[in-house]
Each structure stands twice: as C-alpha cells, then as structure tokens.
Amino acid sequence: DQTALVARVLDTWAGDVQVGGGLRDDGAIERVFAAGASRAVVGTRAVEDCTWLASAASRWPGRIMVALDARGREVLARGWTAGTGTDVVTLAAELSELPLAGLLVTAVANEGRLAGPDLETTSAVAAACSLSVTASGGIERAESVLNALDMLREHAVEDDWVLVHDAARPCVRTEDLNHLVTALRDDAVGGLLAIPVRDTMKQADAEQRCNATVDRSRLWHALTPQMFRLGALRDALRSAAARGVVVTDDASAMEQAGLRPRLIEGHADNLKITRPEDLALAEFYLRQQGRL
C-alpha cells in the first residue's frame, strides 16, 4: 500500500501528483485520491475488466489514466508477462468513449533499449482515439528526450526549435523562459538557462578529501529548459549513445558534437527537486511567485 508515501509527498507539495502501480480496485484508488493525488494510473485491471474501468471512470471522471503496455500491437498485462490478445489501437478507440484523463502508451519491445518509441503504434493509437496520449520515456534522461524528439518528428521539421525541461524543476519563471527564447532565437547552436556558481568549489579524491579548490569564475550551474534545433539535438544524442558517452543534459550532447551552447542567466529558484527537503523549498518559491 503506497498511500502513506503519497500522503507524505503531498504534505509538502501542492501541485498535481499522478499515482500508479498496483491500483486494481476502487478502494486503492479512493485511498490515493484521499491522500491528495490528482490522477490515478491503472493498468492490468483496466485492460482485463472494462466493466470495472467504465464504472471507475464514471465515478472519477477525468481522473483515471489507463496505462497501455504493448508488444507490437498486442496489449500486455501483469507486468508485461501476460498477453491479452487485444489490439492496442482497437482498445484505445473503445476507451475514447469513457471520461478518462488519458492514455499512457509504452512500447515494451523498445523500452529501455535506446530504440526510441514505436512511432507507428503510438501514432496509430493517437489517431484512433480522442483522449490525450502520452508516450513513455526511457530509463535514462537521454532516452526519454530521444523518445520525445522521435515523436516530434511527426509534427515538426529538423530546424524547429525544441525546449527540453526537467519536470523536477517546477519553479522556472515565465520571464526566464521568455528571456531564453528571445536570446537564442537567432543563435546558430542554441543554449540553456544557467546561473553562475557562487559557492567555493572543492575537488575531492576517492576518500572524499579535498584535492583542490576549483576556480569558480567560469563555472555555471546548468538549469533547464535547454533549447536546441530538433534535428541537431537528436543527432547529438544518438551519436553520444552510439559511442557509449553518458550525457546528463542536452547541452552535454551538443558539446560532444563539437558545438558550444550559449549560457543564458536565469534565477536560482529554478531548483531541481532531488531530496525530500526540496519539496518545502519549491513550495516556498512557488508561493513567492504567486503560483500557489
């Protein structure tokens, strides 16, 4: 039962929270909603019992999202271990009749293999239903970005700008977004939001003892969004993956491709939530910005 964990998260966070995993009856869904979750993601029970799903969707309209895991066109259940014999596109069309929050589509054969999304199947699902369709990401950040870029190629051209933002940074300011876009609109490479390092920076040895004090005058903290041309970013991420180079942000991939992204100064409250104490700080910043 994950209700206690959900409640702990929501005690320090006022934003939308989507919860999934093991939600197979009304009681489980009711508990996560009572804890403050905005949406519940259901998988196995939804695809195995459409009557129950219809009842749950009617009881909580716009708050139930269905996870459709598919190998090729066949919907899978029970942690990808059981085939259902159901066509994912046909099922998606049928689910359009229900008041759902949307569909989360995972291409099982591609997931975690840096193979990108199954564009044919995902596009067919999106075309067959009126619900919002979310394509799953990957194990690493770069995989998730590549999956998104592959999907965008269906709707954009290689020279279109894309902005990649960490969902764990909910405090980014609108003014910083506008500044980033304006500053980079005519740039040959693109760039990212960042802030200069203000703290004294230490280099550690293997025993976590100070090995050196690093000159901070040219050091910056990389933030997001990061803004690059769709084709150039996709090629850079693909190239890094093919060479076994691990990149932790999009600018790193562009640097590996021999390009020099531009740093656009943002604000320090664009923090990345990585520790429990960050939730309270993020809430403080959002309240300061008048967004909560």
Side-chain angles (χ1 to χ4, degrees):
D1 186 355
Q2 55 194 327
T3 307
L5 177 60
V6 172
R8 284 179 57 197
V9 171
L10 291 175
D11 277 344
T12 55
W13 181 247
D16 285 353
V17 175
Q18 183 170 293
V19 178
L23 303 180
R24 297 183 180 177
D25 57 56
D26 285 13
I29 295 174
E30 195 166 45
R31 286 192 294 275
V32 296
F33 282 157
S38 305
R39 291 175 298 280
V41 182
V42 294
T44 293
R45 181 75 188 274
V47 301
E48 292 184 343
D49 188 347
C50 289
T51 300
W52 170 80
L53 177 61
S55 173
S58 296
R59 183 177 179 183
W60 296 289
R63 301 185 70 188
I64 304 293
M65 177 169 279
V66 175
L68 295 180
D69 302 330
R71 180 176 286 112
R73 293 279 291 255
E74 183 185 16
V75 177
L76 303 181
R78 302 187 179 277
W80 302 357
T81 63
T84 64
T86 301
D87 181 83
V88 65
V89 177
T90 301
L91 180 57
E94 294 172 354
L95 294 180
S96 292
E97 303 299 319
L98 302 178
L100 297 168
L103 305 177
L104 173 61
V105 179
T106 300
V108 171
N110 297 36
E111 181 73 8
R113 299 184 180 180
L114 205 59
D118 182 340
L119 290 174
E120 181 180 350
T121 300
T122 306
S123 297
V125 168
C129 73
S130 57
L131 299 168
S132 65
V133 176
T134 302
S136 64
I139 293 176
E140 300 291 343
R141 182 187 193 278
E143 294 181 41
S144 297
V145 175
L146 273 172
N147 286 355
L149 295 178
D150 284 338
M151 288 299 298
L152 280 175
R153 293 181 76 198
E154 298 287 301
H155 311 283
V157 298
E158 298 288 279
D159 284 340
D160 281 344
W161 289 107
V162 294
L163 277 76
V164 182
H165 184 59
D166 292 335
R169 294 184 184 274
C171 303
V172 62
R173 301 187 186 193
T174 301
E175 62 188 275
D176 285 354
L177 287 172
N178 292 336
H179 181 40
L180 178 73
V181 172
T182 300
L184 297 178
R185 183 177 292 137
D186 298 319
D187 195 271
V189 176
L192 62 151
L193 287 178
I195 54 172
V197 168
R198 296 183 176 89
D199 301 315
T200 298
M201 305 301 291
K202 299 291 185 181
Q203 184 183 73
D205 61 17
E207 298 177 347
Q208 293 189 5
R209 292 187 176 277
C210 293
N211 199 33
T213 298
V214 180
D215 179 11
R216 67 185 179 191
S217 63
R218 295 187 179 182
L219 295 181
W220 291 63
H221 292 286
L223 310 176
T224 65
Q226 303 192 1
M227 177 174 162
F228 299 104
R229 303 281 184 183
L230 189 157
L233 179 56
R234 183 177 180 276
D235 290 345
L237 288 168
R238 287 283 180 200
S239 176
R243 291 181 287 113
V245 177
V246 177
V247 294
T248 55
D249 72 348
D250 313 293
S252 297
M254 299 296 280
E255 293 160 23
Q256 288 291 328
L259 301 171
R260 299 173 61 210
R262 183 178 170 190
L263 298 167
I264 305 299
E265 187 166 355
H267 286 84
D269 55 7
N270 184 7
L271 85 164
K272 184 176 183 179
I273 298 175
T274 53
R275 298 175 178 270
E277 58 266 29
D278 294 336
L279 288 168
L281 185 57
E283 182 177 6
F284 171 76
Y285 285 148
L286 290 172
R287 290 193 185 282
Q288 272 198 326
Q289 295 174 18
R291 293 163 61 185
L292 286 180

